[in-house]
Amino acid sequence: MSSQSPESTSTSRRIVWTSVVTVISAAILISAEVFGAAFAGGWALAILFDLGDTGAHILQALLFAFGVFVMIAFVRNASRVEPFTRRA
């Protein structure tokens, strides 16, 4: 029989708040740029190709969805570089 309690055998993790705040701050800054570029780019491309308001909204939605993909990829990669948790 083991005399160790279940709590001592499991590994506990601590949140590294400096890493979390750094990644969230960078994500806010980058998302403002990405989503601003998505809306402006959709509007500019719609004017360039004479697509009208509906075409502009469709392009903006497509570029916005691409921006969400970019932000998810950024946060996932940033959490590898700046880990959110550390073993205690």
Side-chain angles (χ1 to χ4, degrees):
M1 285 237 152
S2 175
S3 63
Q4 292 180 344
S5 67
E7 292 83 24
S8 64
T9 59
S10 66
T11 59
S12 63
R13 295 191 172 266
R14 285 201 150 143
I15 296 174
V16 183
W17 287 108
T18 55
S19 296
V20 173
V21 170
T22 299
V23 170
I24 289 174
S25 299
I28 290 170
L29 176 66
I30 293 170
S31 67
E33 296 173 5
V34 167
F35 297 130
F39 287 118
W43 172 76
L45 289 172
I47 290 174
L48 180 66
F49 295 116
D50 197 25
L51 300 177
D53 287 340
T54 304
H57 293 305
I58 291 170
L59 279 174
Q60 287 172 342
L62 290 173
L63 292 173
F64 182 84
F66 179 70
V68 169
F69 173 74
V70 168
M71 290 311 304
I72 289 171
F74 170 76
V75 171
R76 291 181 78 194
N77 288 326
S79 67
R80 287 186 195 129
V81 174
E82 294 279 338
F84 291 164
T85 58
R86 183 178 299 147
R87 291 183 184 174

